[in-house]
Amino acid sequence: MENDAGFQSALEEARKGAAEGGVPIGACLVSADGKILGSGHNMRIQNGSATIHAEISALENAGRLPASAYKGATMYTTLSPCDMCTGACILYKVKRVVLGENNTFVGGEAYLKQRGIEVVIVKSAECEALMKKFIKDHPEDW
């Protein structure tokens, strides 16, 4: 999973977020046939936004798509998704959520599973290190 293009794109987005001084979380939405539909990173700090989380950014950057585009899609994210992002994955009927790590934060994984969405945990050391550094350096923003 760590070598999947979608996961690598999400990880690159997390690195971009870190370089911008933001929360280092990235996401990438990949269609059932393996095409990257959109990717993005958390922009809460950079844009002073309450809602631009990585998964929402990836969906936004994918643009307005027909419902069929999401059928069988995978959302790659570097951190366990919060309730809002969990809801977005459910709303768009994403089939699978692949997350980099869930040691620094556990989101809606159980609810995703309850709704029939496959959840895969990569246990990425880099994802965890990015988050731990951010939490240590910017506790007020976490």
Side-chain angles (χ1 to χ4, degrees):
M1 285 285 146
E2 250 182 299
N3 294 324
D4 286 6
F7 184 77
Q8 286 300 311
S9 177
L11 187 52
E12 182 55 36
E13 289 288 342
R15 292 177 190 132
K16 282 182 197 174
E20 294 170 359
V23 183
I25 305 169
C28 181
L29 181 65
V30 177
S31 68
D33 64 359
K35 178 184 173 203
I36 292 178
L37 299 174
S39 60
H41 56 276
N42 187 298
M43 297 289 291
R44 287 187 320 120
I45 292 172
Q46 298 92 315
N47 287 10
S49 170
T51 59
I52 306 178
H53 291 198
E55 298 87 345
I56 302 304
S57 180
L59 286 162
E60 182 68 21
N61 290 332
R64 186 171 168 86
L65 299 172
S68 61
Y70 303 102
K71 185 174 174 76
T74 297
M75 178 66 80
Y76 291 87
T77 180
T78 58
L79 184 66
S80 183
C82 74
D83 288 345
M84 177 178 68
C85 296
T86 292
C89 289
I90 292 167
L91 176 70
Y92 287 100
K93 297 180 174 44
V94 168
K95 178 182 176 185
R96 180 172 66 153
V97 175
V98 176
L99 54 106
E101 67 101 356
N102 64 354
N103 288 328
T104 59
F105 175 80
V106 176
E109 297 167 38
Y111 190 49
L112 288 168
K113 291 175 187 175
Q114 180 185 358
R115 295 297 297 262
I117 297 172
E118 178 186 3
V119 175
V120 178
I121 305 166
V122 175
K123 298 183 181 178
S124 165
E126 183 175 357
C127 290
E128 189 171 339
L130 281 166
M131 284 306 300
K132 282 184 174 177
K133 180 176 180 356
F134 179 81
I135 292 166
K136 178 180 167 267
D137 294 348
H138 305 283
E140 71 283 359
D141 291 323
W142 181 243

